[in-house]
Each structure stands twice: as C-alpha cells, then as structure tokens.
Amino acid sequence: MIEPVVPDLRIGLPAYTVEVGTELLARPARNSVGGWPFLDEGQAWPECFCGERMALFFQLDVPQGLGPFGGDHLLVFHCRAHNDASDPQLADGRLVPRYWDAAQPPYPSPFWSLLLQRHATLPAAEPEPSVCALPLDLRPFVDNPNARGLGAQTFKVGGTPSWAQDPEFYRCACGAELVYLCQVPEGMEFAVHPDQPEQPYSVGADTYGLFLGNEVYLLACPAHCDPAAVWPVNQN
C-alpha cells in the first residue's frame, strides 16, 4: 500500500513582502496602490451592482517562480459604497458557477472584483480617482512557517497564509483546487484623496479598507479558467 505524501508545513516557501511607498505616483506603475490599472485589452473597469465604479485598491505583477501565477498581473477592486465580508456560496462541494459574478446575499452580486490578467500591457487612460496612487515595492524573503504551520502575518505575495482562524480551502467551479496567492493584513488602511465620499464602516474618513478590515487571503484558480477566478477569504 502506497502511503499518501503529506507536505511538510515547516518548509519555508518563496514569498515577497509588499511595502507601500510614501511619495504619490505621477505616472502609471504596474505595482501600485491606486493608480492606473493595467487591464487586459477589452477588459472594462469593474463596476459594482450599485452602479458605482469600483475603486482600485492595489495591483502588482506576481513574480516569476510563485507557483502557477508567476507573471500574472493581480488587480484588487472593491466598491467604496459597499464594505462587508465575503461569504462563499457553494454547490456540490464547489464554489458556485461564475462565483465572481454570482449573488452574494443580501447583494445581487459581489461588491469586489479580483482579476489575474495575463496580457495586461497598457495602463488605463486615467488613474483611480479616490485611492491615493502610491508605489509598491516587492522584496523577496523565505516564508518560514511557525510551529503551527502559519506563515508571516504581513502584506505579502506567495509563501504560506497566516490563517487567523481555521484554514479554508475551496474548489473552483471548474473543478480545480484554489491555490493561495496573496494576503492583506487585518486593519490595513488605504489613504484616499481629500473630499472623497466616506466609506461605510471604515476606520477614518480619510482611508478606505477591504472587506471590513478583515485579514484577506486571496485564493486563485491554477487553471486560469477565468481572469476573475479568485476568491477572497476573510478572517479576523
């Protein structure tokens, strides 16, 4: 009888910390908070079901060598007017078909858009109007899990998630097991320009947050069945 191979959770994995700069961007940058989104040709700027254009919170090029997503361009959009936690909708043990567009009760569809673009070469003509455009710097490190198998609790791409609660695993509607890609730490605030509409349930009038400020773990489809096949797990 062949014994199943159990991965050693103590093995360090390649990862990159994501550091936010302080000087406002004056031109497009592929790694940025806010700024000019790099979308695939023909990809429209996402809009919420409420009719408001979603805010670009951040975007980055996933470094080569990080599993099946190396070389992809990740964009994280979230509606300013709707600030809530995600709630997975399942059918037959999988996320529902087209879960990136499916109802998110009590809402008729998600209030976020998470995109892994493969051919994003040109920036949008105009920048994100509300979130301040700041550069992101990706610094490589080895994410060595602790005794509980949890990785570094920081803004990072790759490595091992630092699950605040029990680990969560999901199967894409296409049948592939979603793979951990990126995480945003709990309570992270994104500065906005003065006189912008306030975000409900945000910490301050001059910042926006993602998913009620929960720690966010992005799991993506390794089969790339759709650019939007990314699920945000929220924990605190």
Side-chain angles (χ1 to χ4, degrees):
M1 179 178 177
I2 299 176
E3 294 293 331
V5 176
V6 179
D8 188 345
L9 299 180
R10 299 168 297 178
I11 296 176
L13 295 176
Y16 290 76
T17 59
V18 184
E19 300 178 359
V20 182
T22 57
E23 291 197 21
L24 290 173
L25 290 170
R27 60 181 62 86
R30 295 182 65 89
N31 296 340
S32 68
V33 165
W36 292 254
F38 283 75
L39 295 161
D40 282 358
E41 184 177 356
Q43 175 72 49
W45 194 308
E47 288 190 356
C48 181
F49 59 85
C50 69
E52 185 166 315
R53 192 169 72 171
M54 293 186 188
L56 172 64
F57 275 70
F58 70 89
Q59 62 180 339
L60 56 84
D61 284 336
V62 180
Q64 295 290 349
L66 292 186
F69 311 116
D72 290 353
H73 187 68
L74 171 66
L75 302 106
V76 174
F77 294 89
H78 190 289
C79 180
R80 184 247 3 130
H82 291 87
N83 186 16
D84 209 333
S86 63
D87 184 15
Q89 305 299 305
L90 304 175
D92 298 325
R94 305 179 183 185
L95 292 169
V96 296
R98 295 189 61 83
Y99 49 90
W100 49 88
D101 287 332
Q104 181 72 189
Y107 309 118
S109 63
F111 46 88
W112 68 85
S113 181
L114 311 172
L115 300 173
L116 271 175
Q117 305 285 35
R118 312 209 80 183
H119 308 287
T121 58
L122 296 176
E126 58 186 40
E128 159 57 39
S130 54
V131 178
C132 294
L134 296 169
L136 292 179
D137 187 19
L138 276 62
R139 298 183 180 274
F141 76 105
V142 176
D143 194 11
N144 290 304
N146 62 19
R148 298 172 55 207
L150 304 179
Q153 190 175 29
T154 187
F155 190 9
K156 67 184 181 184
V157 183
T160 301
S162 66
W163 301 115
Q165 299 171 358
D166 291 335
E168 296 185 35
F169 305 99
Y170 295 97
R171 185 182 294 274
C172 183
C174 76
E177 293 286 348
L178 296 187
V179 175
Y180 165 74
L181 168 62
C182 173
Q183 81 174 59
V184 180
E186 184 175 2
M188 183 169 177
E189 299 176 36
F190 295 80
V192 299
H193 293 293
D195 303 321
Q196 290 298 311
E198 190 170 343
Q199 183 189 44
Y201 313 116
S202 62
V203 175
D206 57 349
T207 62
Y208 289 172
L210 289 167
F211 301 99
L212 290 176
N214 284 291
E215 192 145 287
V216 181
Y217 312 88
L218 302 185
L219 312 181
C221 177
H224 292 86
C225 66
D226 192 280
V230 185
W231 179 254
V233 176
N234 300 172
Q235 294 188 355
N236 56 46

